[in-house]
């Protein structure tokens, strides 16, 4: 069993027990994930109220949490917009790369002691308490969803760039001449593929579930709600299409370039033959 890096047990956070027959009070907390860059360097950023090391997560108050994911996502729970902005300014020096647009994801958490880890379709996430472990499960899903949204946006741009190449090939029957641009598109697709499969690991479950298997159901319901597996498969298929299309176009370019080179070689041979014949003819004329 791998080391989950957790150093806090599930503490009960939510409304106190209420006698049967009395309406249960509900606490609402908003969880908010933001893609802030390509990578976050969290080394040396540990603190006493840390609840996990991977991701680096802290609990500020019983209903306020922050999690930093190395692949460039920060997840807040219970913080105001002003508090989120202040924290992002605080860690700005640890963020490398720029975000592509504004990729965010939110989840409304409703906490009530008689709830049983339920996710309403398109609605709030109902949980009995906001423990560190439950926060980490919610944060993991939101962080993956934000990263998938970024990949979806980037791949949309790559498809838009490939379309003119394919359109020119269909219209003229000739391959596009800019081979370097095609190689750049293939490179972008490979980077996106590495990021999703290597850093984000969408299909892997969070380590916290090893220590708290009772939260498997909550994770599965959140995973279904945000369609993580389906979106990851769709992104992978798009990546494969981009790579295959780029390779096909570059192969066509290579064949076309080889054909042109052969024509040039044949022309040079003919030219050299004509020059030799001309020299022989001139030599016989002088004789």
């Amino acid at each position: 069993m791998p080391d989950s890096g957790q150093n806090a047990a599930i503490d009960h956070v939510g409304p106190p027990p209420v006698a049967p027959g009395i309406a249960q009070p509900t606490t609402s907390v908003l969880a908010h994930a933001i893609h802030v860059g390509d990578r976050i360097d969290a080394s040396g950023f540990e603190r006493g109220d840390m609840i996990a090391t991977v991701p680096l997560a802290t609990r500020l108050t019983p209903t306020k949490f922050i999690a930093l994911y190395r692949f460039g996502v920060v997840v807040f729970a219970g913080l105001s917009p002003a508090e989120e902005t202040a924290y992002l300014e605080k860690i700005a020096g640890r963020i490398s790369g720029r975000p592509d647009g504004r990729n965010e994801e939110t989840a409304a958490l409703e906490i009530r002691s008689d709830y049983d880890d339920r996710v309403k379709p398109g609605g709030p996430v109902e949980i009995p308490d906001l423990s560190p472990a439950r926060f980490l499960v919610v944060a993991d899903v939101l962080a993956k969803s934000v990263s998938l949204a970024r990949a979806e946006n980037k791949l949309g741009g790559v498809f838009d760039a490939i379309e003119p190449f394919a359109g020119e090939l269909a219209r003229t029957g000739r391959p596009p001449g800019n081979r370097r641009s095609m190689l750049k598109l293939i490179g972008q697709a490979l980077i996106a593929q590495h990021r999703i499969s290597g850093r984000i690991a969408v299909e892997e479950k969070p380590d916290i579930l090893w220590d708290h298997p009772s939260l498997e159901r909550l994770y599965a319901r959140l995973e279904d709600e945000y369609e993580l597996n389906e979106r990851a498969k769709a992104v992978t298929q798009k990546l494969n299409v981009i790579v295959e299309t780029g390779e096909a176009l570059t192969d066509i370019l290579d064949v076309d370039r080889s054909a042109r080179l052969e024509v040039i070689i044949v022309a040079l041979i003919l030219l050299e033959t004509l020059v030799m014949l001309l020299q022989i003819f001139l030599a016989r004329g002088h004789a």
Side-chain angles (χ1 to χ4, degrees):
M1 182 178 298
D3 181 12
S4 64
Q6 314 304 324
N7 58 6
I10 297 183
D11 300 325
H12 179 82
V13 179
V18 180
I22 299 178
Q24 305 284 335
T26 303
T27 301
S28 297
V29 173
L30 183 67
H32 183 203
I34 309 173
H35 172 252
V36 295
D38 292 332
R39 193 170 181 82
I40 299 176
D41 180 13
S43 59
F45 205 53
E46 295 81 3
R47 42 188 286 175
D49 51 4
M50 185 175 63
I51 61 172
T53 55
V54 181
L56 183 63
T58 56
R59 178 170 60 178
L60 307 180
T61 72
T63 56
K64 288 186 178 183
F65 295 84
I66 301 173
L68 302 179
Y69 288 82
R70 294 178 180 176
F71 49 81
V73 176
V74 181
V75 182
F76 301 99
L79 276 72
S80 68
E83 290 173 324
E84 292 181 1
T85 300
Y87 186 83
L88 292 178
E89 291 175 352
K90 179 181 178 181
I91 65 170
R94 294 177 172 270
I95 301 172
S96 59
R98 291 185 176 183
D100 304 312
R102 185 77 173 177
N103 292 312
E104 303 178 54
E105 192 70 80
T106 60
L109 310 179
E110 290 192 355
I111 309 165
R112 204 168 83 183
S113 59
D114 60 345
Y115 279 161
D116 186 26
D117 289 332
R118 185 173 62 172
V119 182
K120 292 184 177 180
V125 179
E126 298 178 348
I127 53 179
D129 59 65
L130 185 56
S131 64
R134 277 191 173 84
F135 165 73
L136 289 171
V137 169
V138 173
D140 182 85
V141 172
L142 293 182
K144 290 175 179 176
S145 181
V146 166
S147 296
L148 281 172
R150 183 200 183 195
E152 290 162 352
N153 292 336
K154 286 181 71 68
L155 291 181
V158 175
F159 268 105
D160 291 341
I162 285 180
E163 186 174 358
F165 291 96
E168 181 180 348
L169 180 62
R171 185 176 61 257
T172 65
R174 296 178 179 178
N178 197 339
R179 186 174 187 273
R180 179 171 300 223
S181 296
M182 289 307 309
L183 292 176
K184 287 182 178 179
L185 292 177
I186 294 174
Q188 292 177 16
L190 293 175
I191 290 173
Q193 191 175 43
H194 168 72
R195 181 180 178 84
I196 293 172
S197 61
R199 295 187 187 176
I200 303 172
V202 174
E203 297 180 355
E204 294 184 8
K205 296 181 180 180
D207 290 343
I208 188 65
L209 295 181
W210 288 92
D211 294 334
H212 303 285
S214 61
L215 297 179
E216 286 264 7
R217 183 173 59 177
L218 174 62
Y219 178 79
R221 290 176 174 177
L222 287 168
E223 186 180 47
D224 289 341
E225 175 66 18
Y226 289 91
E227 300 178 335
L228 295 186
N229 288 330
E230 292 81 358
R231 291 166 63 192
K233 290 178 181 177
V235 167
T236 300
Q237 291 174 352
K238 289 180 180 180
L239 287 169
N240 292 336
V241 169
I242 291 171
V243 172
E244 290 172 2
T245 302
E247 289 177 347
L249 289 174
T250 51
D251 287 344
I252 293 173
L253 286 172
D254 290 338
V255 170
D256 185 68
R257 181 173 295 180
S258 297
R260 290 181 182 179
L261 184 60
E262 289 176 1
V263 170
I264 293 173
I265 292 173
V266 170
L268 289 174
I269 292 173
L270 289 175
L271 180 60
E272 185 179 1
T273 302
L274 290 174
V275 170
M276 291 178 62
L277 291 174
L278 181 60
Q279 289 176 345
I280 292 172
F281 177 78
L282 291 176
R284 287 182 179 180
H286 288 299

